[in-house]
Amino acid sequence: MVHVSHRFEELSAHVELLDGVEVGPGDSVLVHGARIDVPFGEVRVERRRATVVHAGWLERAWTRLTGDLDCLSLLEIELNEGNAS
Amino acid sequence: MTTNLGIDNAMYGAVALNDTTRAAVATTTLSPRFYTTDFAAMDAMSVEPVRAEWDALIAELASDLNRKHFTRDKGLGWDLDIEGLSPALRAEFLDFLVSSLTAEFSGCVLYAEMKKRGKNPDLQALFKYMSRDEARHAGFINDCLRDFGVQVDMGFLVKAKKYTYFSPKFILYATYLSEKIGYARYITIFRHLEAHPERRFHPIFKWFEEWCNDEYRHGEALALLMRADPGLLSGLNLLWVRFFQVAVFSTMFLRDHRRPEMHAALGLEPEAYGMAVFRITSEISKQVFPLLVDVEAPAFLEGLRAMQRLDVELTAARAGGGAANWARARLIQARMAKAFVSLLLLPAKKNPLPASTRLAPSW
């Protein structure tokens, strides 16, 4: 379920997986279908198909290990070029 | 909370468009990052040690004091004069709006995710209100971008989203500091413009006073969560407490120096402004951190200046292109990392924590 609000009082976008699939570190989620362009002033809720690719145990462990280092790019510290593109 | 949002189409020369004809002449792509965390650990957090303060704060958030604040016709006067802005100022100001929008939007996504996936009712209540506020702020900023003909592109919704990991305690340290420094930034600008109204080149600044109280309240809740678990504020975790203070302060210092036009227009000198903000943030964080970076130490400011000079060199090297400049950029980055570590190693001040965490926003 994709929920997008593009209004003066709220700009937000959320993707909710309805069948209880849990997303873990390193997993990736792809929402299928056309681009979702919500005109200003509207809220749109769409039911879409989504594919969740679960990470293998190695990738999961790696993401858990390195994810926290990512907080550097989160803070946009320019110590590494991780956020350059 | 995330990065990478740039104006794709640099048509900053957009004319002032009235409300009905505000067509997009440029788009800016939102590309937030997606985080997952240890939800079981989040659920296990207990606010019992701070129950009374917690309940009072949640009640305050529930009462939604700023529900009517984010409208243009609330009597503050929306006196926008786009034509009066020079192209350079316009470019920097748009960059400022876009990075503020990204921060609000990403906070909204992160908090909503924690509300959705968590099972602890105390935390769910908090994240629901925090997400509400951030979405509202993002909407308000988005409308300012629309004045300039800039439209946000949410193409990321149908692209593969990779979830990275952010441990609960880091979420607490980082979001606490970013909410509190956000408050300090906005209130410092607001007070400055109260004294120098002729410098207020855009009406959005008039909204900052009540706006920043949202950030302040969020920070209060995160402070209570940390105070409820003393393990987060002792032992090896004190290293992280220091790390995040230095990271947040130096990030702000570098980024503000990259916007000289905007600060000149406001009549603010980035260094003095930064130091004023660091003092306020540090004063506030006495409520929660047993160890404080000494922002008054001359070596602290010198360290920041050193990083800033390197940042200028880095920008030049990156703009230059070619293998030699690539190598140069790497070298500069290594020196920046060293300067950052020197800042981390400066003597920190011990701070005995007050019995009560809550603190009134009195700046």
Side-chain angles (χ1 to χ4, degrees), chain B residues 203-285:
Chain B
I204 195 172
F205 299 117
K206 294 186 206 171
W207 268 254
F208 276 18
E209 186 179 26
E210 280 135 305
W211 185 325
C212 68
N213 287 330
D214 282 340
E215 323 294 15
Y216 193 90
R217 273 186 284 272
H218 300 168
E220 291 290 288
L222 297 158
L224 286 173
L225 280 175
M226 288 188 270
R227 288 292 301 269
D229 180 359
L232 292 173
L233 302 170
S234 57
L236 282 177
N237 279 332
L238 286 179
L239 291 176
W240 291 116
V241 164
R242 275 170 85 162
F243 171 84
F244 279 98
Q245 289 176 68
V246 173
V248 167
F249 292 161
S250 51
T251 303
M252 168 178 158
F253 197 80
L254 299 191
R255 299 192 75 196
D256 282 350
H257 275 87
R258 291 180 203 150
R259 296 194 188 111
E261 295 287 337
M262 185 176 138
H263 288 93
L266 288 170
L268 281 171
E269 200 280 308
E271 184 175 294
Y273 167 59
M275 290 305 288
V277 168
F278 303 152
R279 283 187 192 107
I280 293 174
T281 311
S282 195
E283 190 60 35
I284 297 171
S285 52

Coordinates of all heavy atoms in Angstrom, one line a residue, chain B residues 203-285:
Chain B
P203 N 9.6 35.6 4.0 CA 8.6 35.5 5.1 C 8.7 34.3 6.0 O 8.3 34.3 7.1 CB 7.2 35.6 4.5 CG 7.4 35.4 3.0 CD 8.8 35.8 2.7
I204 N 9.3 33.2 5.4 CA 9.3 31.9 6.2 C 10.0 32.1 7.5 O 9.6 31.4 8.5 CB 10.0 30.8 5.4 CG1 9.7 29.4 6.0 CG2 11.5 31.0 5.3 CD1 10.2 28.3 5.2
F205 N 10.9 33.0 7.6 CA 11.6 33.2 8.9 C 10.7 33.7 10.1 O 11.0 33.4 11.2 CB 12.8 34.2 8.7 CG 13.8 33.8 7.7 CD1 14.1 34.5 6.6 CD2 14.6 32.6 7.9 CE1 15.0 34.1 5.6 CE2 15.5 32.2 7.0 CZ 15.7 32.9 5.9
K206 N 9.6 34.3 9.7 CA 8.7 34.7 10.7 C 8.0 33.5 11.4 O 7.5 33.7 12.5 CB 7.6 35.6 10.1 CG 8.0 36.9 9.6 CD 6.8 37.7 9.1 CE 7.2 38.7 8.1 NZ 6.0 39.3 7.5
W207 N 8.0 32.4 10.7 CA 7.3 31.2 11.3 C 8.3 30.4 12.2 O 7.8 29.5 12.8 CB 6.9 30.3 10.1 CG 5.4 30.6 9.7 CD1 4.3 29.9 10.0 CD2 5.0 31.8 9.0 NE1 3.2 30.5 9.5 CE2 3.6 31.6 8.8 CE3 5.6 32.9 8.4 CZ2 2.8 32.5 8.2 CZ3 4.8 33.8 7.8 CH2 3.4 33.7 7.6
F208 N 9.5 30.8 12.3 CA 10.5 30.0 13.0 C 10.3 29.9 14.5 O 10.6 28.9 15.1 CB 11.9 30.5 12.7 CG 12.6 30.0 11.4 CD1 11.8 29.5 10.4 CD2 13.9 30.1 11.2 CE1 12.3 29.0 9.2 CE2 14.5 29.6 10.0 CZ 13.7 29.1 9.0
E209 N 9.7 30.9 15.1 CA 9.7 30.9 16.5 C 8.8 29.7 17.1 O 9.3 29.0 17.9 CB 9.1 32.2 17.0 CG 9.1 32.3 18.6 CD 8.6 33.6 19.1 OE1 7.7 34.3 18.4 OE2 9.0 34.1 20.2
E210 N 7.6 29.6 16.5 CA 6.8 28.5 17.0 C 7.2 27.1 16.4 O 7.1 26.1 17.0 CB 5.3 28.7 16.7 CG 4.7 29.7 17.7 CD 3.9 30.8 17.1 OE1 4.4 31.5 16.2 OE2 2.7 30.9 17.5
W211 N 7.7 27.2 15.2 CA 8.2 26.1 14.4 C 9.2 25.3 15.3 O 9.1 24.1 15.5 CB 8.8 26.5 13.1 CG 9.3 25.5 12.2 CD1 9.9 24.3 12.4 CD2 9.2 25.7 10.7 NE1 10.2 23.7 11.2 CE2 9.8 24.5 10.2 CE3 8.7 26.7 9.9 CZ2 9.9 24.3 8.8 CZ3 8.8 26.4 8.5 CH2 9.4 25.3 8.0
C212 N 10.2 26.1 15.8 CA 11.3 25.4 16.4 C 10.9 24.8 17.8 O 11.6 23.9 18.3 CB 12.5 26.4 16.6 SG 12.2 27.7 17.8
N213 N 9.7 25.2 18.3 CA 9.3 24.5 19.5 C 8.9 23.1 19.2 O 8.9 22.2 20.1 CB 8.1 25.3 20.1 CG 8.6 26.6 20.8 OD1 9.7 26.6 21.2 ND2 7.8 27.6 20.8
D214 N 8.5 22.8 18.0 CA 8.2 21.4 17.7 C 9.5 20.6 17.8 O 9.5 19.5 18.4 CB 7.7 21.2 16.2 CG 6.2 21.6 16.1 OD1 5.5 21.6 17.1 OD2 5.8 21.9 14.9
E215 N 10.6 21.1 17.2 CA 11.9 20.4 17.3 C 12.3 20.3 18.7 O 12.8 19.2 19.1 CB 13.0 21.2 16.5 CG 12.6 21.9 15.2 CD 12.1 20.9 14.1 OE1 11.9 19.7 14.4 OE2 12.0 21.4 12.9
Y216 N 12.1 21.3 19.5 CA 12.5 21.3 20.9 C 11.8 20.2 21.6 O 12.4 19.4 22.4 CB 12.2 22.7 21.5 CG 12.8 22.8 22.9 CD1 14.1 23.4 23.0 CD2 12.2 22.4 24.0 CE1 14.7 23.5 24.2 CE2 12.8 22.5 25.3 CZ 14.1 23.0 25.3 OH 14.7 23.1 26.5
R217 N 10.4 20.1 21.4 CA 9.7 19.0 22.1 C 10.1 17.6 21.7 O 10.3 16.8 22.6 CB 8.2 19.2 21.8 CG 7.4 20.1 22.7 CD 6.0 20.1 22.4 NE 5.6 20.8 21.2 CZ 5.4 22.1 21.1 NH1 5.3 22.8 22.2 NH2 5.1 22.7 20.0
H218 N 10.4 17.4 20.4 CA 10.9 16.1 20.0 C 12.2 15.8 20.7 O 12.4 14.7 21.2 CB 11.2 16.1 18.5 CG 10.0 16.4 17.6 ND1 10.1 16.7 16.3 CD2 8.7 16.5 17.9 CE1 8.9 16.9 15.8 NE2 8.0 16.8 16.8
G219 N 13.1 16.8 20.8 CA 14.3 16.6 21.5 C 14.1 16.2 23.0 O 14.8 15.4 23.5
E220 N 13.1 16.8 23.6 CA 12.8 16.5 25.0 C 12.5 15.0 25.2 O 12.9 14.4 26.1 CB 11.6 17.4 25.5 CG 12.0 18.9 25.6 CD 12.9 19.1 26.8 OE1 12.5 19.1 28.0 OE2 14.1 19.5 26.5
A221 N 11.7 14.5 24.3 CA 11.2 13.1 24.4 C 12.4 12.2 24.2 O 12.6 11.2 24.9 CB 10.2 12.8 23.3
L222 N 13.3 12.5 23.2 CA 14.5 11.7 23.0 C 15.4 11.7 24.2 O 16.0 10.7 24.6 CB 15.2 12.1 21.7 CG 14.3 11.9 20.5 CD1 14.7 12.8 19.3 CD2 14.2 10.4 20.1
A223 N 15.5 12.9 24.9 CA 16.3 13.0 26.1 C 15.8 12.1 27.2 O 16.5 11.4 27.9 CB 16.3 14.5 26.5
L224 N 14.4 12.1 27.3 CA 13.8 11.3 28.3 C 14.1 9.8 28.1 O 14.4 9.0 29.0 CB 12.3 11.5 28.4 CG 11.9 12.8 29.1 CD1 10.4 13.0 28.9 CD2 12.3 12.9 30.5
L225 N 14.0 9.4 26.8 CA 14.3 8.0 26.5 C 15.8 7.6 26.9 O 16.0 6.5 27.4 CB 14.1 7.8 25.0 CG 12.7 7.6 24.5 CD1 12.7 7.5 23.0 CD2 12.1 6.3 25.1
M226 N 16.7 8.5 26.6 CA 18.1 8.2 27.0 C 18.3 8.2 28.5 O 18.9 7.4 29.1 CB 19.0 9.2 26.4 CG 19.2 9.0 24.9 SD 20.5 10.1 24.1 CE 19.6 11.5 23.7
R227 N 17.6 9.2 29.2 CA 17.7 9.2 30.7 C 17.1 8.0 31.3 O 17.5 7.6 32.4 CB 17.1 10.5 31.2 CG 17.8 11.8 30.9 CD 19.1 11.9 31.7 NE 19.0 11.9 33.1 CZ 18.9 12.9 33.9 NH1 18.8 14.1 33.4 NH2 18.8 12.7 35.2
A228 N 16.1 7.4 30.6 CA 15.5 6.2 31.2 C 16.4 5.0 31.2 O 16.1 4.0 31.9 CB 14.2 5.9 30.4
D229 N 17.4 5.0 30.4 CA 18.3 3.9 30.3 C 19.8 4.4 30.5 O 20.5 4.7 29.5 CB 18.2 3.3 28.9 CG 19.1 2.1 28.7 OD1 19.9 1.7 29.7 OD2 19.1 1.5 27.7
P230 N 20.2 4.5 31.8 CA 21.5 5.1 32.1 C 22.7 4.4 31.4 O 23.7 5.0 31.2 CB 21.6 4.9 33.6 CG 20.2 4.7 34.1 CD 19.5 4.0 33.0
G231 N 22.5 3.2 30.9 CA 23.5 2.5 30.2 C 23.9 3.2 28.9 O 25.0 3.1 28.4
L232 N 22.9 3.9 28.3 CA 23.2 4.7 27.1 C 24.1 5.9 27.3 O 24.7 6.5 26.4 CB 21.9 5.2 26.5 CG 20.9 4.1 25.9 CD1 19.6 4.8 25.5 CD2 21.6 3.4 24.7
L233 N 24.2 6.3 28.6 CA 24.9 7.5 29.0 C 26.1 7.2 29.9 O 26.5 8.1 30.7 CB 24.0 8.5 29.6 CG 22.7 8.9 28.7 CD1 21.7 9.6 29.5 CD2 23.2 9.7 27.5
S234 N 26.7 6.0 29.8 CA 27.8 5.7 30.6 C 28.8 4.8 29.9 O 28.4 4.3 28.8 CB 27.4 5.1 31.9 OG 26.6 4.0 31.6
G235 N 29.9 4.6 30.5 CA 30.9 3.6 29.9 C 31.3 4.0 28.5 O 31.5 5.1 28.2
L236 N 31.5 3.0 27.7 CA 32.0 3.2 26.3 C 31.0 4.1 25.5 O 31.5 4.7 24.5 CB 32.2 1.9 25.6 CG 33.4 1.1 26.0 CD1 33.4 -0.3 25.2 CD2 34.7 1.9 25.6
N237 N 29.7 4.0 25.9 CA 28.8 4.9 25.1 C 29.1 6.4 25.2 O 28.7 7.1 24.3 CB 27.4 4.6 25.6 CG 26.8 3.3 24.9 OD1 27.2 3.0 23.8 ND2 25.9 2.7 25.6
L238 N 29.9 6.7 26.2 CA 30.2 8.2 26.3 C 31.1 8.6 25.1 O 31.1 9.8 24.7 CB 31.0 8.4 27.6 CG 30.1 8.4 28.8 CD1 30.9 8.7 30.1 CD2 29.0 9.5 28.7
L239 N 31.8 7.6 24.5 CA 32.6 7.9 23.3 C 31.6 8.3 22.2 O 31.9 9.3 21.4 CB 33.4 6.7 22.9 CG 34.5 6.3 23.8 CD1 35.2 5.0 23.3 CD2 35.6 7.5 23.9
W240 N 30.5 7.6 22.1 CA 29.5 7.9 21.1 C 28.9 9.3 21.3 O 28.6 10.1 20.4 CB 28.5 6.9 21.0 CG 29.0 5.6 20.4 CD1 29.1 4.4 21.0 CD2 29.6 5.4 19.1 NE1 29.7 3.5 20.2 CE2 30.0 4.1 19.0 CE3 29.8 6.3 18.0 CZ2 30.6 3.6 17.9 CZ3 30.4 5.8 16.9 CH2 30.8 4.4 16.8
V241 N 28.6 9.5 22.6 CA 28.0 10.8 23.0 C 28.9 12.0 22.5 O 28.5 13.0 21.9 CB 27.8 10.9 24.5 CG1 27.6 12.3 25.0 CG2 26.7 10.0 25.0
R242 N 30.2 11.8 22.7 CA 31.2 12.8 22.2 C 31.2 12.9 20.7 O 31.2 13.9 20.1 CB 32.6 12.5 22.7 CG 32.8 13.0 24.1 CD 34.1 12.5 24.6 NE 35.3 13.3 24.2 CZ 36.4 13.2 24.8 NH1 36.6 12.4 25.8 NH2 37.4 13.9 24.4
F243 N 31.3 11.7 20.1 CA 31.3 11.6 18.7 C 30.2 12.3 18.0 O 30.4 13.1 17.1 CB 31.3 10.1 18.2 CG 31.2 9.9 16.7 CD1 32.3 10.0 15.9 CD2 30.0 9.7 16.2 CE1 32.2 9.8 14.6 CE2 29.8 9.6 14.8 CZ 31.0 9.6 14.0
F244 N 29.0 12.1 18.5 CA 27.8 12.7 17.8 C 27.8 14.2 18.0 O 27.4 15.0 17.1 CB 26.5 12.1 18.2 CG 26.2 10.8 17.5 CD1 26.5 9.6 18.0 CD2 25.7 10.8 16.2 CE1 26.3 8.4 17.3 CE2 25.5 9.6 15.5 CZ 25.8 8.4 16.1
Q245 N 28.3 14.7 19.1 CA 28.3 16.2 19.3 C 29.3 16.8 18.3 O 29.0 17.8 17.6 CB 28.8 16.5 20.7 CG 27.7 16.2 21.8 CD 28.2 16.5 23.2 OE1 28.5 17.6 23.6 NE2 28.4 15.4 24.0
V246 N 30.5 16.2 18.2 CA 31.5 16.8 17.3 C 31.0 16.7 15.8 O 31.1 17.6 15.0 CB 32.8 16.0 17.4 CG1 33.8 16.5 16.4 CG2 33.4 16.3 18.8
A247 N 30.3 15.5 15.5 CA 29.9 15.3 14.1 C 28.8 16.3 13.8 O 28.9 16.9 12.7 CB 29.3 13.9 14.0
V248 N 27.9 16.5 14.7 CA 26.8 17.4 14.4 C 27.3 18.9 14.3 O 26.9 19.6 13.4 CB 25.6 17.3 15.4 CG1 24.6 18.4 15.3 CG2 24.9 16.0 15.2
F249 N 28.1 19.3 15.2 CA 28.6 20.6 15.2 C 29.5 20.9 14.0 O 29.4 21.9 13.3 CB 29.5 20.9 16.5 CG 28.7 21.0 17.7 CD1 29.3 20.8 19.0 CD2 27.3 21.2 17.7 CE1 28.5 20.9 20.1 CE2 26.5 21.2 18.9 CZ 27.2 21.1 20.1
S250 N 30.4 20.0 13.6 CA 31.3 20.3 12.5 C 30.5 20.2 11.2 O 30.8 21.0 10.3 CB 32.5 19.3 12.5 OG 32.1 18.0 12.6
T251 N 29.5 19.4 11.1 CA 28.7 19.3 9.9 C 28.0 20.6 9.6 O 28.0 21.2 8.5 CB 27.6 18.2 10.0 OG1 28.2 17.0 10.2 CG2 26.8 18.1 8.7
M252 N 27.4 21.2 10.7 CA 26.7 22.4 10.5 C 27.7 23.5 10.1 O 27.4 24.4 9.3 CB 26.0 22.8 11.8 CG 25.5 24.3 11.8 SD 24.7 24.8 13.3 CE 24.9 26.5 13.2
F253 N 28.8 23.6 10.8 CA 29.8 24.6 10.5 C 30.3 24.6 9.0 O 30.3 25.6 8.4 CB 31.1 24.3 11.4 CG 32.0 25.5 11.6 CD1 31.7 26.5 12.5 CD2 33.2 25.6 10.9 CE1 32.5 27.6 12.6 CE2 34.0 26.7 11.0 CZ 33.7 27.7 11.9
L254 N 30.5 23.4 8.5 CA 31.0 23.3 7.1 C 29.8 23.7 6.2 O 30.0 24.5 5.2 CB 31.4 21.9 6.8 CG 32.6 21.3 7.5 CD1 33.0 20.0 6.8 CD2 33.7 22.3 7.6
R255 N 28.6 23.2 6.4 CA 27.5 23.5 5.5 C 27.2 24.9 5.5 O 26.8 25.5 4.4 CB 26.3 22.6 5.9 CG 26.6 21.2 5.8 CD 25.4 20.3 5.9 NE 24.7 20.4 4.6 CZ 23.4 20.1 4.5 NH1 22.7 19.7 5.5 NH2 22.8 20.1 3.3
D256 N 27.1 25.6 6.6 CA 26.8 27.0 6.6 C 27.8 27.9 5.9 O 27.5 28.8 5.3 CB 26.6 27.5 8.1 CG 25.2 27.1 8.7 OD1 24.4 26.5 7.9 OD2 25.0 27.2 9.9
H257 N 29.1 27.5 6.0 CA 30.1 28.2 5.3 C 29.9 28.1 3.8 O 30.5 28.9 3.0 CB 31.5 27.8 5.7 CG 31.9 28.6 7.0 ND1 31.6 28.1 8.2 CD2 32.6 29.7 7.2 CE1 32.1 28.9 9.1 NE2 32.7 29.9 8.5
R258 N 29.2 27.0 3.3 CA 29.0 26.9 1.9 C 27.9 27.8 1.4 O 27.5 27.7 0.2 CB 28.7 25.4 1.6 CG 29.9 24.5 1.8 CD 29.5 23.1 1.5 NE 30.3 22.1 2.1 CZ 30.0 20.9 2.5 NH1 28.7 20.5 2.3 NH2 30.8 20.1 3.1
R259 N 27.2 28.5 2.3 CA 26.1 29.4 1.9 C 26.4 30.8 2.3 O 25.7 31.4 3.1 CB 24.8 29.0 2.5 CG 24.4 27.6 2.1 CD 22.9 27.4 2.5 NE 22.5 26.0 2.2 CZ 22.3 25.1 3.1 NH1 22.3 25.4 4.4 NH2 22.0 23.9 2.8
P260 N 27.5 31.4 1.7 CA 27.9 32.8 2.1 C 26.9 33.8 1.7 O 26.6 34.8 2.5 CB 29.2 33.0 1.3 CG 29.2 32.0 0.2 CD 28.4 30.8 0.7
E261 N 26.2 33.7 0.6 CA 25.2 34.7 0.1 C 24.1 34.8 1.1 O 23.6 35.9 1.5 CB 24.7 34.4 -1.3 CG 25.7 34.4 -2.4 CD 26.1 35.8 -2.7 OE1 25.3 36.8 -2.4 OE2 27.2 36.0 -3.2
M262 N 23.6 33.6 1.5 CA 22.4 33.6 2.4 C 22.7 34.2 3.7 O 21.9 35.0 4.2 CB 21.9 32.2 2.5 CG 20.6 32.1 3.3 SD 20.0 30.4 3.4 CE 19.5 30.4 5.1
H263 N 23.9 33.9 4.2 CA 24.2 34.5 5.5 C 24.5 36.0 5.5 O 24.2 36.7 6.4 CB 25.4 33.7 6.2 CG 25.0 32.3 6.6 ND1 25.1 31.2 5.8 CD2 24.4 31.9 7.7 CE1 24.6 30.1 6.4 NE2 24.2 30.5 7.6
A264 N 25.1 36.4 4.3 CA 25.4 37.8 4.2 C 24.0 38.6 4.1 O 23.9 39.6 4.7 CB 26.2 38.0 2.9
A265 N 23.1 38.0 3.4 CA 21.8 38.7 3.3 C 21.1 38.8 4.6 O 20.4 39.8 4.9 CB 20.9 37.9 2.3
L266 N 21.2 37.7 5.4 CA 20.6 37.8 6.8 C 21.4 38.7 7.7 O 20.9 39.0 8.8 CB 20.6 36.4 7.4 CG 19.6 35.4 6.8 CD1 19.9 34.0 7.3 CD2 18.2 35.8 7.1
G267 N 22.6 39.0 7.3 CA 23.5 39.8 8.2 C 24.1 38.9 9.3 O 24.4 39.4 10.4
L268 N 24.2 37.6 9.0 CA 24.8 36.7 10.0 C 26.2 36.3 9.5 O 26.3 35.9 8.3 CB 24.0 35.5 10.2 CG 22.7 35.6 11.0 CD1 21.9 34.3 10.9 CD2 23.1 35.8 12.5
E269 N 27.1 36.2 10.4 CA 28.4 35.7 10.0 C 28.4 34.2 10.4 O 28.2 33.9 11.5 CB 29.5 36.6 10.7 CG 30.9 36.5 10.2 CD 31.6 35.3 10.6 OE1 31.6 35.0 11.8 OE2 32.1 34.6 9.7
P270 N 28.7 33.3 9.4 CA 28.5 31.9 9.7 C 29.3 31.4 10.9 O 28.8 30.6 11.7 CB 29.1 31.2 8.4 CG 29.0 32.2 7.4 CD 29.1 33.6 8.0
E271 N 30.5 31.9 11.2 CA 31.2 31.5 12.3 C 30.6 31.9 13.6 O 30.4 31.1 14.6 CB 32.7 32.0 12.3 CG 33.5 31.4 13.4 CD 35.0 31.8 13.2 OE1 35.6 31.4 12.3 OE2 35.5 32.6 14.1
A272 N 30.2 33.2 13.7 CA 29.6 33.7 15.0 C 28.2 33.0 15.2 O 27.9 32.7 16.3 CB 29.5 35.2 14.9
Y273 N 27.5 32.9 14.1 CA 26.2 32.2 14.1 C 26.4 30.8 14.6 O 25.7 30.3 15.6 CB 25.6 32.3 12.8 CG 24.4 31.4 12.6 CD1 23.2 31.5 13.4 CD2 24.3 30.4 11.6 CE1 22.1 30.7 13.2 CE2 23.2 29.6 11.4 CZ 22.1 29.7 12.2 OH 21.0 28.9 12.1
G274 N 27.3 30.1 14.0 CA 27.6 28.7 14.5 C 27.9 28.6 15.9 O 27.3 27.8 16.7
M275 N 28.8 29.5 16.4 CA 29.2 29.4 17.8 C 28.0 29.7 18.7 O 27.9 29.1 19.8 CB 30.3 30.4 18.1 CG 31.7 30.0 17.5 SD 32.2 28.3 17.9 CE 32.7 28.5 19.6
A276 N 27.2 30.6 18.3 CA 26.0 30.9 19.1 C 25.1 29.7 19.2 O 24.6 29.4 20.3 CB 25.2 32.1 18.5
V277 N 24.9 29.0 18.1 CA 24.1 27.8 18.1 C 24.7 26.7 18.9 O 24.0 26.0 19.6 CB 23.9 27.4 16.6 CG1 23.2 26.0 16.5 CG2 23.0 28.4 15.9
F278 N 26.0 26.5 18.8 CA 26.7 25.5 19.6 C 26.5 25.7 21.1 O 26.4 24.8 21.8 CB 28.2 25.3 19.2 CG 28.4 25.1 17.7 CD1 29.6 25.5 17.1 CD2 27.5 24.5 16.9 CE1 29.8 25.3 15.8 CE2 27.7 24.3 15.6 CZ 28.9 24.7 15.0
R279 N 26.6 27.0 21.5 CA 26.5 27.3 22.9 C 25.1 26.9 23.4 O 25.0 26.3 24.5 CB 26.7 28.8 23.1 CG 28.2 29.1 23.1 CD 28.5 30.6 23.5 NE 29.9 30.9 23.2 CZ 30.2 31.7 22.2 NH1 29.3 32.3 21.4 NH2 31.5 31.8 21.9
I280 N 24.1 27.3 22.6 CA 22.7 27.0 23.0 C 22.5 25.4 23.1 O 22.0 24.9 24.1 CB 21.7 27.6 22.1 CG1 21.7 29.1 22.2 CG2 20.3 27.1 22.4 CD1 20.9 29.8 21.2
T281 N 22.9 24.8 22.0 CA 22.8 23.3 21.9 C 23.5 22.6 23.1 O 22.9 21.7 23.7 CB 23.3 22.8 20.6 OG1 22.8 23.6 19.5 CG2 22.9 21.3 20.4
S282 N 24.7 23.1 23.4 CA 25.5 22.5 24.5 C 24.8 22.7 25.8 O 24.7 21.8 26.7 CB 26.9 23.1 24.4 OG 27.7 22.3 25.2
E283 N 24.3 23.9 26.0 CA 23.6 24.3 27.2 C 22.3 23.4 27.4 O 22.1 22.9 28.5 CB 23.1 25.8 27.2 CG 22.6 26.4 28.4 CD 23.6 26.3 29.6 OE1 24.8 26.5 29.4 OE2 23.2 26.1 30.7
I284 N 21.6 23.2 26.3 CA 20.4 22.3 26.4 C 20.8 20.9 26.7 O 20.2 20.2 27.6 CB 19.6 22.3 25.1 CG1 19.1 23.7 24.8 CG2 18.5 21.3 25.1 CD1 18.5 23.9 23.4
S285 N 21.9 20.4 26.1 CA 22.2 19.0 26.3 C 22.8 18.7 27.6 O 23.0 17.5 27.9 CB 23.1 18.5 25.1 OG 24.2 19.3 25.0

